[in-house]
Amino acid sequence: MNEAHDYDAIWRRSGATLWRAVYAYSGGRRDVADDSVAEAFARVMARGSEVSDPVAYLYRVAFRVASVELARSGKEVAEVPEMAIADPTQNGLPDLLRALKDLTPAQRAAVYLHYRADMPVRQVAQLMGTSSAAVKVHLMRGRRRLASLLGEDDE
């Protein structure tokens, strides 16, 4: 195994945000988030110095693994499970996760990364492996859908 990056530092800096993003993307499936993030870290560590941007690589791999698992299982989560990351400062997060379940996976990822993880559109596009324009479309459609689900204005 080639030790090209400080994976402990990457985990401390990005691991929790990645896990939450995949958790939201999967509609609250903790098993999918756990497995996808673990698989992404295993793959980036195996590739070592071949990966120039390990955080972007982690996001792309984790979302792909989660996507495959969701397609394979074909399961929808009827209710958002008990929050694995109970944080009283995150008001409305359970309601948001329930509403995110009704978005497309790409909309879920874009909305969560941009609005909850506070990432700029360009960074979301890089992490999702798509263009900024595509992310803006996912954000617009996701906002509209969330506004109707949560009974709020689109602003």
Side-chain angles (χ1 to χ4, degrees):
M1 189 182 318
N2 189 350
E3 284 296 321
H5 304 286
D6 184 353
Y7 299 110
D8 287 335
I10 292 169
W11 171 254
R12 283 190 304 274
R13 186 177 62 246
S14 304
T17 304
L18 172 61
W19 186 90
R20 287 185 197 107
V22 175
Y23 183 74
Y25 174 79
S26 67
R29 298 256 327 257
R30 183 181 185 151
D31 60 326
V32 172
D34 289 345
D35 293 346
S36 299
V37 171
E39 179 65 23
F41 267 92
R43 289 184 190 181
V44 76
M45 291 170 73
R47 296 205 47 203
S49 64
E50 294 175 27
V51 178
S52 61
D53 186 351
V55 175
Y57 182 86
L58 285 167
Y59 274 84
R60 282 192 300 274
V61 170
F63 281 117
R64 284 185 193 135
V65 170
S67 177
V68 168
E69 175 57 27
L70 292 171
R72 186 187 66 75
S73 68
K75 294 180 185 174
E76 283 294 323
V77 178
E79 287 189 33
V80 175
E82 194 63 31
M83 291 298 294
I85 44 173
D87 183 352
T89 64
Q90 298 206 7
N91 295 333
L93 187 57
D95 292 337
L96 176 62
L97 287 173
R98 281 187 201 91
L100 283 171
K101 185 175 69 76
D102 290 337
L103 302 181
T104 67
Q107 289 170 355
R108 268 182 268 185
V111 166
Y112 187 87
L113 292 171
H114 184 65
Y115 292 109
R116 294 303 287 191
D118 201 29
M119 294 181 184
V121 169
R122 209 160 128 206
Q123 185 178 8
V124 173
Q126 179 187 18
L127 295 176
M128 290 178 64
T130 189
S131 69
S132 292
V135 169
K136 289 177 183 178
V137 169
H138 294 313
L139 289 170
M140 177 197 63
R141 291 179 180 164
R143 271 193 318 265
R144 285 183 182 162
R145 182 73 179 130
L146 286 173
S148 70
L149 292 168
L150 298 172
E152 299 175 5
D153 290 333
D154 190 23
E155 304 302 317

